[in-house]
Amino acid sequence: MNLNQLIKAAVLGGALCTACFAGAGPEGCLTPLKPVPSAEQLEWHDMEMYAFVHFTINTFTGKEWGYGDEKPELFHPSDFDADDLVRTLADAGFKGVVLTCKHHDGFCLWPTKTTLHSVAASPWKQGKGDVVKEVSRACGKYGVRFGVYLSPWDRNAASYGTPDYIRMYRQQLKELATGYGPIFLAWFDGANGGDGYYGGAREKRSIDRSAYYDWKATWDELKKRQSGTVIFSDVGPDVRWVGNESGYAGYPCWATYTPVPLQAGTEPAPGTVRYRLGTEGTMDGKYWIPAEVDVSIRPGWFWHEHENSRVRTPENLLKLYFDSVGRGANLNLNVPPDRRGRIHEEDKKSLAGFRVLLDELYSRNFASGAQAESSSSWKGHGAEQVLDRKRTTYWVAAPEDKHPCVVLKLPEPAAFDVIRLAEPIQLGQRVRKFRVEVRENGQWSKWTEGASIGARVLLKGRPVTADGVRVVLEQSRAVPALCEVSLWKYPVILNAPAVNYDRNGRVTLASAENVVIRYTTDGTEPGPQSAMYRNPFFLPAGGTVKAAAEYRGRKSSVTTQIIPVPTRDWKVVAGERSAAAPELAIDGDSSTLWHTHAAQGELAPPQALEIDMGRPVNVAAVIYTPRRDSATGTVDRYAVYLSMDGNTWGAPAAEGEFSNICANPVPQRIDLKAPVKARYLRFVGKRVVEGSHVAVAELGVLGK
């Protein structure tokens, strides 16, 4: 069968495109379907990946959000090396670096003239250091673009909440915009207002998030000095938050977006928008505001020593890549330096492994050398232009073509399982529905399908060996155009074993069939001499399990799982105003939860859960696991009490806040200053993110 016959088959088997074409006249095929990206947004799309660098005084306090009362003297990296940091990220494939120049604690990583709360007051380099300058210079040296994060919230500034602070904030933006070279992206988040130090006031300050910053004027001040900067926030105006910190965009993920305010009649602004709508965007939205997926390589955003064993594996990073870049978004992966000021060795190892997998994925384009034809084409925009993978050259269907498709005839049968498609988005996002067919052994069959394409989409289908590929565009908002059809092979991956445990302390390891699993329980890396897993085993006092899989000379990444003290003998002594069985908080299943009754007035939080652990335990840390399905009842301020007799409790063994738990609802570890021997545990939810009751998916403790 020749290409013309292949195309006819697609026409006969294709679905009618039901959408009405915009610009369907003879001269209108290339009329952009608005909205369309700006020149700066197009450059941003082409980056695909850049890195977040969360580094500040929190690195030295162990917090995620500093309160604002931290002494500048605490900031003292022992071996900061911006060259090593940026080179590591560049080598991993990241095209930019976004530095947390100021986080919510207000500590500035450059010697600003606006506050004394900066590196100029720290002992690092005798107060003469400038982290922002060193990172921006290193970016220039290694061909990586430089971006800034400047928290709108400042828990240190005495003026926060007044007009004086806005003047101070804009001056900080001016300093960054005029002293550190080109800025490709400025990152603004929605965490604004709340408890803080505020120059010694130690109080809660609330602001009108939709009006206080006068964001248009603030951003205009930045754009005057950095016209090429794209601005990120919940509402753009150039790049939007994807609505989660779990590392995925939705699918479809539309680059167009219409922000919706929390309250009707108000203007959407950072922190006051229905942010979950950003996960998929808005089909035919009013503005071109594509999604950024921001996620950390660790559970937290800042470096914490106890998370050194919980760095994402290379295989997981590749999954994040497909779930973000592969859905048309850009990936902003956070890689936080440690107290030396260096990327930790575990993070470096994972980044290097990720780059190996990316290189393997893109090592061969099986569409290279293919012959391309189409059901129709318009004025020199033939099907062959999908093969060069350039956004500036593209195929365009004829406006009268009701069943547009592109067919590739491969030079020889090829084994692949990934297809990458892209639209020339300077013409807008046009395709609404498509399917992909492959020819195996002379027979055509449906292989995969999708909705949005936009800047790019990567779809992983079943492995096939085919000599033909057919992309049928079933629905489009305007005359469809494609600038890329390429074919790839997903890397062969030996996944790390899954480590599971129950409330009895019974540990099970799972991997693919015929795979050998080796593991340790003493904190060492599993190797050839380590125990081979055959049956479940018990850790009666908890501990750390490290496991790796082996198959035909290959070894997987290492899974590290901290096993808490078994809760088999635990009993709930008191659970205030329970609306669900308190035992659900200690059943070893994070999909179930205990929660109190929704309450008002004197019945609102603080609310507590009290547990008899059955025997004395040397408690080193407490783990609170929030619910995943909703923010209602999620604790963000807590107190932990410990007792030997259940009557005498004394002062809290620990208290504080789960700073970023709403956006990042992962298990929260509360480390005690020193281990405490106790039989009874009382967990108090002092405040919740939403609602008026307390919810606990799981409570656990780590022994010492």
Side-chain angles (χ1 to χ4, degrees):
M1 185 181 289
N2 61 34
L3 280 175
N4 287 331
Q5 291 172 316
L6 301 183
I7 293 166
K8 286 181 180 179
V11 170
L12 292 173
L16 179 65
C17 177
T18 57
C20 178
F21 284 166
E27 300 301 324
C29 289
L30 301 186
T31 300
L33 175 66
K34 295 183 178 180
V36 295
S38 66
E40 293 76 28
Q41 288 174 317
L42 285 173
E43 290 183 2
W44 175 87
H45 277 290
D46 290 343
M47 293 178 72
E48 295 194 357
M49 297 195 311
Y50 43 92
F52 232 157
V53 174
H54 274 63
F55 184 53
T56 187
I57 208 159
N58 294 345
T59 309
F60 301 88
T61 62
K63 296 179 181 179
E64 284 288 287
W65 288 2
Y67 188 71
D69 60 354
E70 296 82 11
K71 301 293 184 183
E73 291 83 3
L74 291 171
F75 185 82
H76 197 185
S78 60
D79 191 24
F80 179 72
D81 188 334
D83 273 21
D84 182 68
L85 186 151
V86 173
R87 183 175 57 247
T88 298
L89 297 172
D91 288 347
F94 296 95
K95 301 297 192 297
V97 169
V98 180
L99 177 67
T100 54
C101 301
K102 183 188 80 169
H103 205 253
H104 310 323
D105 53 83
F107 184 78
C108 297
L109 291 184
W110 78 101
T112 175
K113 296 178 181 178
T114 63
T115 177
L116 298 176
H117 199 55
S118 79
V119 288
S122 79
W124 179 62
K125 294 195 173 183
Q126 294 77 50
K128 305 296 183 183
D130 188 336
V131 175
V132 180
K133 180 171 289 186
E134 293 195 29
V135 173
S136 65
R137 283 178 175 173
C139 285
K141 180 176 179 180
Y142 293 101
V144 171
R145 303 181 74 183
F146 178 63
V148 300
Y149 167 109
L150 189 72
S151 171
W153 187 20
D154 192 320
R155 302 173 94 176
N156 174 266
S159 61
Y160 185 78
T162 73
D164 284 343
Y165 175 73
I166 300 304
R167 288 188 282 272
M168 169 183 157
Y169 185 70
R170 290 178 181 171
Q171 180 61 29
Q172 290 178 346
L173 271 178
K174 179 180 178 181
E175 290 178 359
L176 293 174
T178 56
Y180 298 97
I183 294 172
F184 88 93
L185 182 142
W187 212 98
F188 302 91
D189 64 17
N192 293 300
D195 297 334
Y197 174 68
Y198 304 127
R202 296 186 180 276
E203 61 188 16
K204 182 177 181 179
R205 295 186 181 176
S206 300
I207 60 163
D208 181 349
R209 296 185 183 187
S210 63
Y212 177 57
Y213 297 99
D214 189 1
W215 280 116
K216 184 179 185 305
T218 298
W219 289 334
D220 284 348
E221 286 295 311
L222 173 62
K223 287 280 194 175
K224 285 179 186 177
R225 300 170 176 87
Q226 293 276 350
S227 59
T229 299
V230 296
I231 294 174
F232 167 97
S233 80
D234 294 359
V235 297
D238 300 311
V239 179
R240 75 177 189 264
W241 184 38
V242 78
N244 67 78
E245 294 179 359
S246 299
Y248 69 92
Y251 190 76
C253 185
W254 307 105
T256 54
Y257 183 52
T258 305
V260 178
L262 288 175
Q263 289 186 307
T266 63
E267 288 295 317
T272 177
V273 67
R274 295 183 183 177
Y275 61 85
R276 289 186 177 89
L277 298 178
T279 303
E280 292 189 0
T282 312
M283 185 170 65
D284 302 320
K286 291 174 63 176
Y287 311 103
W288 189 275
I289 312 177
E292 177 204 272
V293 173
D294 60 312
V295 61
S296 185
I297 198 170
R298 291 162 169 257
W301 286 89
F302 288 92
W303 178 86
H304 307 292
E305 186 172 14
H306 67 260
E307 292 180 354
N308 287 344
S309 62
R310 300 180 65 192
V311 176
R312 292 180 183 271
T313 64
E315 298 81 12
N316 181 261
L317 294 180
L318 185 63
K319 182 179 186 303
L320 294 184
Y321 177 83
F322 268 75
D323 290 347
S324 55
V325 175
R327 294 176 179 176
N330 276 15
L331 174 62
N332 185 7
L333 180 71
N334 178 61
V335 184
D338 59 22
R339 290 174 184 166
R340 298 171 301 173
R342 299 271 190 151
I343 296 177
H344 191 271
E345 287 71 17
E346 290 296 325
D347 304 62
K348 282 188 173 183
K349 182 169 65 175
S350 184
L351 291 172
F354 174 47
R355 181 57 189 263
V356 168
L357 292 178
L358 272 183
D359 287 346
E360 184 177 345
L361 170 67
Y362 288 120
S363 62
R364 182 181 176 187
N365 177 8
F366 293 96
S368 180
Q371 184 182 354
E373 292 284 352
S374 58
S375 54
S376 67
S377 62
W378 189 80
K379 290 192 176 182
H381 292 278
E384 71 281 357
Q385 297 191 57
V386 304
L387 297 174
D388 65 6
R389 305 190 64 210
K390 296 179 180 178
R391 181 167 41 78
T392 52
T393 55
Y394 45 87
W395 162 73
V396 182
E400 66 274 9
D401 189 349
K402 301 301 182 183
H403 308 276
C405 72
V406 171
V407 179
L408 303 185
K409 184 177 181 181
L410 307 185
E412 58 185 8
F416 56 87
D417 54 10
V418 173
I419 187 168
R420 178 172 166 135
L421 304 172
E423 295 181 75
I425 53 175
Q426 63 270 28
L427 302 180
Q429 190 167 4
R430 299 176 167 221
V431 177
R432 298 292 179 265
K433 183 180 179 183
F434 66 91
R435 73 177 187 271
V436 181
E437 301 168 348
V438 294
R439 190 172 75 163
E440 296 179 279
N441 300 317
Q443 298 295 316
W444 285 95
S445 61
K446 183 177 176 180
W447 184 52
T448 189
E449 62 184 349
S452 65
I453 295 178
R456 80 203 71 84
V457 65
L458 279 158
L459 296 175
K460 186 175 184 294
R462 60 181 173 83
V464 296
T465 300
D467 63 0
V469 175
R470 189 160 59 198
V471 181
V472 182
L473 305 178
E474 298 178 296
Q475 294 182 18
S476 299
R477 181 69 173 81
V479 176
L482 291 177
C483 61
E484 179 180 355
V485 179
S486 56
L487 304 169
W488 311 92
K489 181 71 175 173
Y490 200 82
V492 176
I493 290 174
L494 180 58
N495 288 311
V499 180
N500 299 296
Y501 60 90
D502 62 19
R503 64 179 309 197
N504 298 311
R506 183 176 182 264
V507 180
T508 57
L509 309 181
S511 190
E513 290 185 15
N514 302 319
V515 168
V516 173
I517 301 176
R518 295 190 182 276
Y519 70 95
T520 65
T521 58
D522 60 1
T524 60
E525 296 293 296
Q529 305 306 315
S530 301
M532 184 184 300
Y533 177 76
R534 290 185 174 86
N535 296 297
F537 57 92
F538 287 87
L539 291 179
T544 299
V545 174
K546 292 191 174 188
E550 300 174 1
Y551 183 71
R552 294 184 177 177
R554 300 188 62 173
K555 184 179 177 181
S556 74
S557 299
V558 176
T559 300
T560 302
Q561 179 67 60
I562 298 175
I563 311 297
V565 173
T567 60
R568 178 189 60 237
D569 298 324
W570 288 23
K571 295 180 181 178
V572 176
V573 178
E576 295 184 19
R577 301 175 290 279
S578 293
E583 289 74 21
L584 295 177
I586 55 174
D587 65 352
D589 183 355
S590 60
S591 67
T592 64
L593 60 96
W594 163 77
H595 61 88
T596 60
H597 287 288
Q600 299 294 333
E602 72 278 3
L603 296 181
Q607 297 167 337
L609 187 67
E610 194 171 304
I611 294 167
D612 177 359
M613 295 184 286
R615 60 181 177 82
V617 176
N618 212 27
V619 179
V622 176
I623 306 294
Y624 165 69
T625 301
R627 65 192 301 176
R628 299 279 301 193
D629 61 329
S630 166
T632 304
T634 296
V635 174
D636 69 344
R637 277 200 171 274
Y638 65 86
V640 170
Y641 296 83
L642 294 165
S643 171
M644 281 296 292
D645 60 9
N647 296 310
T648 305
W649 294 95
E655 56 185 337
E657 67 179 13
F658 300 131
S659 306
N660 195 37
I661 196 169
C662 185
N664 192 29
V666 298
Q668 306 289 311
R669 175 168 166 159
I670 306 166
D671 286 297
L672 307 188
K673 291 182 179 179
V676 176
K677 193 171 186 178
R679 174 169 171 167
Y680 293 87
L681 164 69
R682 177 189 290 164
F683 177 81
V684 181
K686 298 175 68 175
R687 190 180 69 188
V688 294
V689 174
E690 291 181 10
S692 56
H693 65 275
V694 169
V696 178
E698 282 295 306
L699 271 183
V701 302
L702 303 181
K704 180 67 174 179

